[in-house]
Amino acid sequence: MLEKATITRPYAEAAFAQALEENKLAEWSEMLSLLAVIISNQDMHKLINNPKLSANKLYDLILDIYEENLSKTSKNFLKILIDAKRIELASEISAIFEEKRLAEESVTKINVTTAYPLNENQIKVINDL
């Protein structure tokens, strides 16, 4: 079987390209994160793997959960993921998308390890760097 990253990357790149074209990186990021949370739910996982549930019914179910957060193109993307049986890769797609978004926005994640908790002023100084 192909490695997850090999399968996932084209979907993440397509989502990223669409988000860039629409100038809606933040919206797509939020949508993909929410989709990852929905898909990670144990009950949803059972539904996704239920052979009696059609792709159209699954699509309608997910739309019912958070349709107000979806643009027309993100609905199309969701439909493609479901039809291709790749909806379970939503977390991985979201992670790759976030990496690309952070790089595009020139944001670098750092981990700060301290012996003592930081106060609010110290946290603000680090965040402003």
Side-chain angles (χ1 to χ4, degrees):
M1 183 175 163
L2 290 174
E3 186 178 333
K4 271 188 180 182
T6 304
I7 297 169
T8 306
R9 187 160 304 282
Y11 292 98
E13 289 176 354
F16 186 76
Q18 185 62 43
L20 270 179
E21 183 178 314
E22 294 176 4
N23 198 25
K24 293 185 177 183
L25 285 174
E27 290 88 344
W28 273 80
S29 177
E30 184 179 321
M31 181 274 295
L32 290 170
S33 294
L34 182 57
L35 182 60
V37 169
I38 290 169
I39 299 307
S40 69
N41 178 281
Q42 192 173 26
D43 292 330
M44 183 58 82
H45 186 74
K46 289 176 186 175
L47 282 173
I48 290 168
N49 292 309
N50 183 342
K52 294 181 181 179
L53 186 68
S54 71
N56 286 335
K57 294 271 188 199
L58 179 59
Y59 176 74
D60 291 341
L61 177 66
I62 294 174
L63 281 185
D64 285 345
I65 294 170
Y66 77 135
E67 183 170 12
E68 68 277 356
N69 295 316
L70 297 175
S71 66
K72 181 179 178 184
T73 52
S74 59
K75 286 179 187 178
N76 291 340
F77 183 75
L78 174 63
K79 182 76 168 129
I80 289 168
L81 289 179
I82 291 171
D83 289 345
K85 299 187 185 325
R86 300 291 193 230
I87 193 68
E88 288 187 272
L89 298 174
S91 293
E92 290 84 356
I93 292 168
S94 178
I96 293 170
F97 182 94
E98 280 307 299
E99 288 174 12
K100 293 180 78 56
R101 183 181 70 83
L102 292 174
E104 177 70 23
E105 295 174 347
S106 299
V107 174
T108 303
K109 283 188 172 184
I110 61 167
N111 290 321
V112 176
T113 305
T114 64
Y116 301 99
L118 298 174
N119 64 41
E120 288 182 32
N121 189 44
Q122 293 167 322
I123 293 170
K124 182 179 181 331
V125 168
I126 291 169
N127 284 331
D128 290 342
L129 293 177

